[in-house]
Structures are given as C-alpha cells and as structure tokens.
Amino acid sequence: MDIISILNLIIPTAIFAATPLIFTALGGLFSERAGVVNIGLEGLMVMGAFSGIVFTLLFESLGFGAASPWVALVMAMLIGAIFSLFHAVASITFRADQIVSGVALNFLAVGLTVFLTREIFGRGQTDYISERIFRENILFLSDIPVVGNWFFSNIYPTSIVSLVFVLVVWYVVFKTPFGLRLRSVGEHPMAADTMGIKVNRMKYIAVMLSGALGGIGGAVYAITTSANFSGGTIAGQGFMALAALIFGKWNPLGVLGAALFFGFAQSLSLSAQQIPALANVPQVYLLIAPYVLTILALAGFVGKAEGPKAIGKAYEKGSR
Amino acid sequence: MKLIKDTAVKLAIPLIAIFFGFFAGAIIMLASGNNPIAGYAALIDGVIGDAYVFGETLRMMTPLIFSGIAVAFAFRTGLLNIGVEGQLIVGWLASVVVGIVFDLPMVIHLPLAILAGAIAGGIWGFLPGILKARFQVHEVIVTIMLNYVALHVSNHVIRNYMLASGQRTDFISPTASLTSDFLAGLTDFSRMHWGFFLAIAACVIMWFILWKTTKGYELRAAGFNPNASSYAGMNVKTNIVLSMVISGAFAGIGGAMEGLGTYGFIQILSSFTNLGFDGIAVALLGGSTSIGIFLAAFLFGGLKIGAANMQAGANVAPELVEIVIALIIFFVASSYLIRLILNRLQSKKEGK
C-alpha cells in the first residue's frame, strides 16, 4: 500500500470526524473568549443531536424531502442557543461557578433528551432518519489531481460549511468591533465596562453563540454519522471539542488544525488495521492521543496554551 | 446572632434547592401528561418500600459517598477535581487485578485490594496535582482529559490481558470480596456489602483529616487564600499535590467498592460510570461536609434506585431523576439567587 492510497483512505475520514468538533469548538471559542468557561459543550451537542434527529423526522413527515436535515440543522442551532441560557443565567446573572454550572448542563441535557425520547418514541432511542446528508463531489475542484481526491471529492457538504465558519469566526473575532469587545470582556472586564461595553450582555451573546454552534455540531454528528439519537450518541465529542479549543489556543485557525488532527487520530484508530505500518500499534495509543496531547500542550511541552485572562470569573460591577 | 443566621441560611440553601428541583420535576411530569403525585409516590416506594430496595439504595450510596468525599476534599483546598470519574475507574481496575491475581488469606488480601484501588486513584490524582503545582496548568482540563485516558486504558487492559466471557474480567477470589451474606440476608438479597460501613468510616476520616490535624488546617488554609497561607510559611505547592493525591485515593477506593463489593469484576466500559460526576453533585449539595455528603449521597443514591420503580409503578421515564438532579445542582450553584430571595423576605419582615 503506497502513501497516496493511505492518505486517500485517511484524509476524508479525518475531515469527516473533525467536522462536528470544528463547529462545537468554535462555539466554545466565543464563550471562553468572553470569559465564560463552557464545560457544557458536551450537553449542548447532546441537545443538538437530539433536535437534529427529531426535527429531521418531523420535516420528513411534513414533506420537506431532502431539505429536511438542513432545516433541522437550523432548528438545532436555535434550540442549542436557547438551551445554553441555563448556563448563561446561572453563571452570569446568578454568579454560579461556571464549571459546576457546565457540569449540570451536561446532566440536564442527557436527562432531558432521553426523557423526551422515551415520551415521544416509547423507547430509549429515536427512529432512524431517512433523509441524510451524503458525501458529494465539489464541481471542478474535485477534478484536481490528488488534492482534489483528498479534499473535494466524496466530502460532506457540512464539512465545507464548517470550513467557511472557521473563516467567518476568525474574521468576526479578530477584525470586527464586536470581536474586539468580546475579547476585551474576557481579558479585562472592568476596563471593558469603563469603556462603556455592557459586559454581561456580551457574555450572554457569547454563551448563546456557543449554544448555537454546539447545537449545530451535535446535529451534524447525529445526521451524518449515527442517523438516530439515543443517550449514547454523543459520548465525549463535546469534551474533545473543548480539547481542540485549548490545543488550538483559542484561535479559530488553531481550532481547525487541532480538530483536524484529532479527527486524524480518530480515523487512524479506525483504519489502522488496513495500514501495514500501523497494524501492530495498539489502538489505545491512538484513542488517548488527543487527550494526552492536550495535557502536554497545557503543560507547555507543545507550545504553551494560555487562555483569556479573566476566564472563569463572574463579573460584579464595582468589584476589584 | 449573625452566626446563627448564617448557619440557618447555609442549611436552607440545599433544602430550597431540593424543593425547587422536585417542583420543576413535577411540572415536567405534568407537562408530559403524567401524574406527579403518582410518580413521586412510586419513587419513594422504590427507595424505602421494602428491605430489598433500601439495601440497594445503601449499596448505591457507597461509591457516591466516596466520590463525593473525593470532590469535597479537593474543593476544600480550592481545587475542582472533575477527574474523580477517571480515578474511580483506575481504582476499580487495580482492586480487581489484585483481587484476581493474588492468592492470600482474607486479612491481607482484602485490605491489599482496597489499598491497590487507593494507590491507583492516588496516582491518577497526582498527575493533575503536580501539573498544577509545577506548571500552573488548570486542574479542570487535565482531569477531564485524564478521565478519557483512564477509560480507554482500562478497557485496553481488560480486553488484552484479563478478558473472560461477556466483555468482562473473571470474578475476584472470595478472599478479596466485600460481599456479605449477612447484609444480603438482612435486606432480602440486595447487593449491599460491607463497603457501606467503610464509606461511613471514610466520612469520619475526612472530617478528622480536615478539622483535627495540622496538615488538614494547612489544606483548608490553601483553599481559603493561597497567598496568605504561602506568606505564613506553608508550602502551597506541596499541599496542592497532597490534596489531589488524597482526593484521588478516596475516588479510587470508591471504585474498589464497585469492584470488590457490588460486582466482583470490571467490565469493558462503553461509556463513563457517571459515579464520579455524580460525586460533584453530592459534594456540592452536601456543602463539602461529611454529614452533608452522607445525606446527599442518600438522596441521589435513592433517586437512582427509585427511578426504576417510577417506570414500573407510574410509567414515568426514569431519566426524570437525572433532570431533577441536574436542576438541584443548578439551584445550589446559583445560591446567589436563593440568598437574594431570602434577603428580600427578611427585609420585608423587618419592614412590617
């Protein structure tokens, strides 16, 4: 097996595995850049996966046809944003510990979605959706030799959308007044307040954006990968997105790189058996690679990862 | 006078949070077309209805007490140990390994197996501790990542070295077992085991370490104000590491309770046990005190066992209790809201 065919095997799987991570980690980026830790990304993905499947089923039955999953993605985005308000109200207005509130959000998401699944479908999992989003070739670009094979043929449209989102988020965070305000709130809320920025309003917007993107991330995973929803559909992808956010040093382009790398590790762990050089490496090393690398990155062995200065603290007006 | 009032508020917050949690649960049941009174009646019946379910509740409490103590102990030192889940898994694995591999008389074998769990959990807690002390890495992220490492490594070890039929290891030898025919007989053949009394002992030990020893004073001081305790000549870095190790050891013993008591083996885990994450809820509701943890573990352990009867007796999906638990955490964490309400009520009374 030569190197090209190995890459043919791995790269599309890596991009595919990275897509939900990219969406969710970009969401976490908004929230953490505004100084709100979001351990609840996992729960937001669960909520998104549930809404993605339920609304796809609903729109299918209403006769939306192939558009159903796309409309469901929008619904998952809205529901994720609304659901994230739990985290926002608790941690911003009521000054709850952001990490505790995030943990509670994860509990609540799993409890609520499985409860609703049982109430609606009478068992622990939903029906399977029939209108899925499938791999497609991108016009013209897929004809480019080699590279076209890797990046533009047989790719999920959602992956392309996630790449566009990376650029949009990068532009918004670093090139617009909104992004400047967002970052100032996360770095030094008192200074931001003095300059007339409404600190808590910015934090609310940021947390809701993280809910919206986390919702999309979960829905993309459910619609493209599992095609139904149960309590075990989202098992750790949210935490891996959090890892990608930190490994990517709270920068959209870094997040893209980290997510692709984690996706790469995941796809390696799945397809290692077919690659002679890796067939004898125990799968466990590839499974734990993303987590170990994140720890090493935090410890400064792989480039120091430093978060926003005022992260994790509730802002009280007039306090020092 | 003010002291009494503070204590009263401290006691009132978890009680009000529990009330809000159950109240919200009732609304959800109403909204989904169930009868909340029948639902909660079935729930209570499923906790204290007969000897069997009560024994199961006490069995469920056992690891929850340990994981609650683990979270609370770190919390007292100003650390948030989200990694109890992972520490619990490695402790579970280590205790089962010792329980299977060695052939010793019970007086040595059983303590050795529990100790193995404590050591494994302690090592898993040492890693985030040393990274925090040495490189100022935030312990929350490291412990989350280590949870996954623990899960995958444990599954790898079971799959490759200890696999028996049915995706799990062999049973531990009886000399390392915590199971008790006496307790099982007392509770209509529930899986209650001696670990419950170890859990009570652990509550006492936590109280003793934190409030009756010099080291415990130092640990709490580091939690209150690391700068002041450093200025007073205490070694904050050592205390951080020590606290994480002790916390991890408690979590590891919690895992050993499952391995040596409830199951007698460890299976390949497809997802987390959630015992460690529930420990966060237990510690938080219990206000990080020994008695509070015991009572909170009873509440959450009871909810988890009683949920099955909710399904059977009132046709309410058992996940309702997960929602109630999550909401209780939200309300306890948002104690600012409850304080605000209490203050309003207070000032209204004074105004009259």
Side-chain angles (χ1 to χ4, degrees):
Chain A
M1 208 177 201
D2 60 286
I3 188 85
I4 298 289
S5 53
I6 290 176
L7 289 176
N8 277 346
L9 190 70
I10 291 174
I11 289 182
T13 338
I15 296 176
F16 167 61
T19 306
L21 298 183
I22 294 172
F23 280 117
T24 311
L26 288 177
L29 189 139
F30 276 114
S31 160
E32 302 224 334
R33 278 283 183 179
V36 182
V37 181
N38 206 338
I39 304 276
L41 288 178
E42 176 88 0
L44 294 168
M45 281 188 85
V46 171
M47 211 63 202
F50 170 77
S51 338
I53 293 296
V54 168
F55 280 104
T56 305
L57 289 169
L58 177 71
F59 290 124
E60 274 173 8
S61 68
L62 291 178
F64 277 66
S68 316
W70 292 99
V71 188
L73 277 180
V74 176
M75 293 305 293
M77 180 181 85
L78 293 176
I79 287 178
I82 294 167
F83 187 66
S84 69
L85 279 173
F86 272 102
H87 186 47
V89 172
S91 65
I92 300 169
T93 307
F94 298 142
R95 300 173 203 169
D97 188 293
Q98 293 170 1
I99 289 159
V100 172
S101 162
V103 169
L105 196 74
N106 291 338
F107 275 131
L108 187 63
V110 175
L112 201 60
T113 52
V114 180
F115 179 81
L116 288 173
T117 304
R118 277 194 209 279
E119 289 292 328
I120 299 171
F121 297 90
R123 56 201 162 101
Q125 57 178 33
T126 66
D127 297 337
Y128 282 86
I129 56 172
S130 42
E131 295 288 351
R132 295 173 62 173
I133 295 174
F134 289 108
R135 290 174 186 273
E136 280 168 35
N137 292 332
I138 310 284
L139 283 178
F140 307 122
L141 291 174
S142 61
D143 296 333
I144 305 170
V146 188
V147 178
N149 249 343
W150 292 345
F151 299 107
F152 299 113
S153 56
N154 252 341
I155 191 168
Y156 283 92
T158 44
S159 301
I160 303 287
V161 176
S162 76
L163 297 179
V164 173
F165 267 52
V166 169
L167 297 178
V168 170
V169 171
W170 177 83
Y171 183 80
V172 167
V173 170
F174 291 112
K175 299 289 165 196
T176 64
F178 172 81
L180 184 64
R181 285 178 196 141
L182 183 88
R183 285 179 290 136
S184 71
V185 164
E187 294 289 337
H188 201 311
M190 211 190 341
D193 197 10
T194 317
M195 298 306 289
I197 298 169
K198 294 204 167 54
V199 173
N200 282 353
R201 193 171 73 183
M202 283 305 292
K203 289 192 176 201
Y204 263 93
I205 295 170
V207 171
M208 288 181 76
L209 282 173
S210 81
L213 286 166
I216 296 180
V220 163
Y221 182 83
I223 290 171
T224 56
T225 309
S226 64
N228 80 338
F229 175 84
S230 70
T233 299
I234 301 293
Q237 287 89 341
F239 285 115
M240 202 183 278
L242 188 69
L245 174 62
I246 296 162
F247 197 52
K249 303 197 174 89
W250 292 271
N251 181 313
L253 302 175
V255 162
L256 173 66
L260 283 174
F261 179 74
F262 290 174
F264 185 69
Q266 260 187 342
S267 69
L268 269 185
S269 74
L270 293 176
S271 50
Q273 307 309 326
Q274 302 168 36
I275 301 163
L278 286 169
N280 294 322
V281 177
Q283 195 192 16
V284 65
Y285 292 118
L286 298 166
L287 282 174
I288 66 175
Y291 309 112
V292 173
L293 280 166
T294 306
I295 294 173
L296 293 179
L298 279 167
F301 298 124
V302 194
K304 185 89 184 147
E306 256 184 272
K309 285 266 179 328
I311 200 160
K313 298 183 197 97
Y315 177 64
E316 293 173 51
K317 237 181 160 64
S319 71
R320 313 216 231 172
Chain B
M1 192 59 210
K2 183 153 185 313
L3 202 70
I4 298 169
K5 218 166 147 189
D6 274 0
T7 322
V9 170
K10 258 188 204 151
L11 282 176
I13 286 171
L15 293 178
I16 294 174
I18 292 169
F19 173 76
F20 277 162
F22 277 97
F23 188 69
I27 293 175
I28 292 172
M29 276 195 267
L30 267 182
S32 59
N34 294 295
N35 181 349
I37 296 171
Y40 282 140
L43 178 70
I44 293 168
D45 196 39
V47 181
I48 52 173
D50 56 48
Y52 174 79
V53 288
F54 192 65
E56 279 290 297
T57 299
L58 298 187
R59 193 270 303 165
M60 188 73 225
M61 275 177 77
T62 308
L64 287 181
I65 290 175
F66 277 105
S67 59
I69 289 177
V71 174
F73 199 93
F75 192 69
R76 286 279 181 194
T77 326
L79 300 165
L80 203 50
N81 184 1
I82 309 278
V84 172
E85 183 71 37
Q87 292 144 17
L88 192 138
I89 291 173
V90 293
W92 185 345
L93 177 69
S95 70
V96 169
V97 169
V98 171
I100 291 174
V101 170
F102 289 93
D103 193 16
L104 295 163
M106 191 169 195
V107 262
I108 306 171
H109 200 177
L110 180 56
L112 191 70
I114 296 174
L115 186 69
I119 291 172
I123 292 171
W124 223 249
F126 173 79
L127 294 173
I130 193 79
L131 286 173
K132 167 104 179 176
R134 186 82 180 70
F135 301 102
Q136 286 84 44
V137 185
H138 203 291
E139 73 279 5
V140 168
I141 306 294
V142 178
T143 48
I144 289 175
M145 300 303 141
L146 281 176
N147 283 342
Y148 285 95
V149 178
L151 183 73
H152 290 306
V153 168
S154 159
N155 285 347
H156 175 74
V157 171
I158 300 167
R159 192 172 285 128
N160 289 293
Y161 303 107
M162 323 174 53
L163 199 64
S165 61
Q167 299 289 295
R168 60 174 182 81
T169 65
D170 277 324
F171 277 100
I172 52 167
S173 89
T175 49
S177 173
L178 279 166
T179 49
S180 147
D181 290 338
F182 171 68
L183 291 175
L186 214 59
T187 54
D188 202 11
F189 303 104
S190 76
R191 284 177 292 172
M192 188 187 174
H193 53 83
W194 291 118
F196 178 66
F197 298 100
L198 289 177
I200 295 175
C203 287
V204 178
I205 290 169
M206 165 182 156
W207 169 81
F208 186 81
I209 296 178
L210 279 177
W211 299 94
K212 295 292 158 192
T213 65
T214 318
K215 204 71 208 170
Y217 178 81
E218 279 192 22
L219 292 177
R220 283 186 294 125
F224 269 123
N225 190 336
N227 296 329
S229 53
S230 168
Y231 194 66
M234 302 173 195
N235 191 337
V236 174
K237 289 188 173 178
T238 319
N239 285 339
I240 287 174
V241 179
L242 183 69
S243 165
M244 282 306 287
V245 169
I246 296 176
S247 169
F250 274 121
I253 300 177
M257 294 302 110
E258 296 294 88
L260 306 175
T262 310
Y263 297 101
F265 57 81
I266 179 166
Q267 69 273 30
I268 291 176
L269 299 165
S270 58
S271 65
F272 285 128
T273 64
N274 272 338
L275 290 169
F277 294 120
D278 289 335
I280 300 167
V282 169
L284 198 67
L285 185 65
S288 298
T289 62
S290 292
I291 298 171
I293 288 169
F294 184 84
L295 295 175
F298 178 70
L299 177 73
F300 290 148
L303 279 174
K304 281 172 185 292
I305 297 296
N309 198 47
M310 258 180 124
Q311 172 90 316
N315 206 18
V316 177
E319 281 73 22
L320 184 87
V321 305
E322 307 284 332
I323 301 175
V324 171
I325 290 176
L327 290 174
I328 291 176
I329 309 177
F330 265 123
F331 287 124
V332 179
S334 310
S335 62
Y336 178 73
L337 167 74
I338 297 177
R339 275 175 209 274
L340 215 65
I341 296 171
L342 286 177
N343 276 344
R344 281 280 157 76
L345 291 177
Q346 192 72 26
S347 55
K348 232 179 220 168
K349 239 188 243 167
E350 275 161 11
K352 268 179 194 168

